[in-house]
Amino acid sequence: MTAEDSTAAMSSDSAAGSSAKVPEGVAGAPNEAALLALMERTGYSMVQENGQRKYGGPPPGWEGPHPQRGCEVFVGKIPRDVYEDELVPVFEAVGRIYELRLMMDFDGKNRGYAFVMYCHKHEAKRAVRELNNYEIRPGRLLGVCCSVDNCRLFIGGIPKMKKREEILEEIAKVTEGVLDVIVYASAADKMKNRGFAFVEYESHRAAAMARRKLMPGRIQLWGHQIAVDWAEPEIDVDEDVMETVKILYVRNLMIETTEDTIKKSFGQFNPGCVERVKKIRDYAFVHFTSREDAVHAMNNLNGTELEGSCLEVTLAKPVDKEQYSRYQKAARGGGLAEAAQQPSYVYSCDPYTLAYYGYPYNALIGPNRDYFVKDTILETHPASLPLVLSRHA
């Protein structure tokens, strides 16, 4: 072997070794050199698997626990040829990135959205505040909102005589990580449930595993098939916003209970403190003149009886409707939705409320929609049920 041959062989081996170090999903990418330069600058790893390319998770030198819920943001409207080398500098400018997950197509282009998890919650809030509508390319604005770490499943087909404790016991027998079961009493008969429940799990992973296990055809509960899917996303409302709320959400009312009765009950502590009451089916929104009066009434009336029914009273949660639309897309793995042409805020506590405020029934996820459509319309506008169901069949 000549000196030239030896040098060529060494160069070839070195190139092969260097190529072998390029992570899967990065090797052969159109911007491979830029991605490698990013990894070298930051020390973060990058790997592609299951239709997404993950940058970090954890970052170099990370020793603490996994970031808490609320540290992740959803990024939509990403141009299909924009990748981590452009996204990371933008998002790391507002906080330390724990991981960035860019959804990828088989053709090597991104799918238009990503998830960025920060090390701290305040960094995620800053990202939403400062980077929503950020111009990543001329005329191309990113959409950024808090992400959904959905830990709640919707279970339909539950025998209506089952109590919460029985449902919890049955679900816990076949799935792991169950934290709680939320059951709605029938509006007409408080001894019965409405045929569905929400099951809260300790993590998104536990909920996803449970959903897979409970899919129709795999398992039966109480001797028959059930319906299962992701529940409506549970949206975290900013603490500063919640501090301004002076509306109470009252659940589990009797159908016969009137708005005047509710107003009298909730206004007993300070005459004139209740501005108005809006009752829908067996729940209501009670508007107060001041937050202090609202909190005082909540503390005194939660868990008490009104006309034979035990009340559940909480502060109403204001949810921006455009944000809500984005949450739903994020929960289903889709892109950013267009803003709904509705009032800016709804006070969301359950899908009935969203329906009342004009949110389309087909926005509800999976089998949730059919249960809520039938149940809501039958109680409020029985003659409209065939029309509504035909629209959303």
Side-chain angles (χ1 to χ4, degrees):
M1 178 181 292
T2 66
E4 290 80 1
D5 291 337
S6 178
T7 302
M10 290 175 63
S11 176
S12 177
D13 290 342
S14 175
S18 175
S19 176
K21 294 177 183 177
V22 178
E24 185 178 351
V26 175
N31 60 336
E32 177 182 334
L35 295 179
L36 290 174
L38 171 67
M39 294 166 64
E40 184 176 356
R41 174 179 72 82
T42 63
Y44 280 64
S45 62
M46 193 180 297
V47 63
Q48 184 166 327
E49 57 184 6
N50 300 325
Q52 62 182 359
R53 194 157 61 202
K54 186 170 74 170
Y55 168 85
W62 181 264
E63 295 182 355
H66 189 277
Q68 66 181 122
R69 188 174 182 179
C71 290
E72 188 175 71
V73 299
F74 171 73
V75 186
K77 298 183 180 177
I78 302 173
R80 297 287 303 280
D81 58 348
V82 167
Y83 302 100
E84 294 87 348
D85 56 302
E86 291 184 66
L87 293 171
V88 168
V90 172
F91 285 90
E92 69 181 0
V94 300
R96 189 184 182 194
I97 295 174
Y98 180 85
E99 75 174 15
L100 184 152
R101 295 181 292 119
L102 181 63
M103 304 301 121
M104 301 295 293
D105 267 336
F106 291 112
D107 62 3
K109 293 184 178 180
N110 78 64
R111 295 172 60 190
Y113 67 101
F115 297 89
V116 182
M117 181 177 291
Y118 286 94
C119 296
H120 302 287
K121 197 171 183 178
H122 68 88
E123 296 169 325
K125 288 184 177 181
R126 184 183 173 192
V128 173
R129 188 170 61 250
E130 297 184 15
L131 299 179
N132 186 38
N133 291 324
Y134 178 88
E135 192 172 25
I136 190 76
R137 292 271 180 84
R140 302 297 298 274
L141 308 181
L142 296 178
V144 182
C145 67
C146 291
S147 180
V148 176
D149 185 14
N150 204 344
C151 300
R152 184 175 292 188
L153 293 183
F154 169 89
I155 307 291
I158 295 175
K160 293 192 174 183
M161 293 307 296
K162 296 294 181 183
K163 306 297 182 187
R164 175 189 170 277
E165 293 73 18
E166 295 176 280
I167 299 169
L168 177 61
E169 181 181 3
E170 186 75 7
I171 298 294
K173 283 181 184 177
V174 295
T175 63
E176 297 180 358
V178 178
L179 290 182
D180 193 18
V181 170
I182 302 160
V183 182
Y184 286 79
S186 168
D189 184 350
K190 296 299 179 184
M191 297 303 292
K192 297 180 179 179
N193 69 65
R194 288 182 181 164
F196 59 85
F198 298 102
V199 184
E200 189 80 20
Y201 287 86
E202 63 186 12
S203 67
H204 177 75
R205 176 177 173 79
M209 297 295 288
R211 177 176 175 269
R212 184 181 302 176
K213 191 170 185 179
L214 294 171
M215 291 298 283
R218 296 194 174 187
I219 199 168
Q220 291 188 343
L221 297 181
W222 301 287
H224 63 85
Q225 296 287 347
I226 57 167
V228 61
D229 210 327
W230 292 108
E232 284 299 290
E234 185 74 3
I235 302 176
D236 290 328
V237 180
D238 190 275
E239 294 172 4
D240 294 337
V241 174
M242 285 303 298
E243 286 295 325
T244 68
V245 173
K246 53 183 181 179
I247 303 173
L248 295 183
Y249 171 70
V250 185
R251 192 160 78 87
N252 207 37
L253 291 161
M254 298 296 288
I255 285 289
E256 299 81 12
T257 300
T258 66
E259 291 180 350
D260 286 340
T261 299
I262 298 168
K263 186 172 185 178
K264 182 178 179 181
S265 177
F266 280 78
Q268 64 182 285
F269 307 105
N270 183 12
C273 68
V274 176
E275 288 183 338
R276 63 189 178 93
V277 174
K278 181 60 184 178
K279 182 171 184 278
I280 310 106
R281 296 162 49 81
D282 60 341
Y283 65 95
F285 289 93
V286 185
H287 297 246
F288 286 80
T289 57
S290 74
R291 177 181 172 81
E292 183 180 3
D293 286 327
V295 171
H296 184 68
M298 175 180 69
N299 292 337
N300 281 276
L301 293 176
N302 184 40
T304 63
E305 281 197 7
L306 181 63
E307 296 189 339
S309 186
C310 184
L311 301 180
E312 297 177 24
V313 186
T314 60
L315 287 168
K317 291 183 178 181
V319 177
D320 181 273
K321 297 198 78 166
E322 182 179 355
Q323 290 268 352
Y324 181 80
S325 188
R326 291 173 179 162
Y327 270 98
Q328 290 204 313
K329 288 291 184 179
R332 287 177 284 186
L336 208 62
E338 295 297 323
Q341 298 302 311
Q342 301 289 344
S344 295
Y345 279 90
V346 295
Y347 282 84
S348 170
C349 292
D350 59 33
Y352 295 118
T353 307
L354 294 170
Y356 168 74
Y357 279 98
Y359 223 87
Y361 284 109
N362 60 4
L364 301 179
I365 296 173
N368 294 250
R369 183 188 69 182
D370 294 334
Y371 277 83
F372 283 113
V373 169
K374 293 175 184 176
D375 199 27
T376 304
I377 300 301
L378 273 173
E379 292 281 355
T380 54
H381 304 289
S384 303
L385 180 60
L387 175 62
V388 172
L389 291 182
S390 65
R391 285 179 180 173
H392 300 292

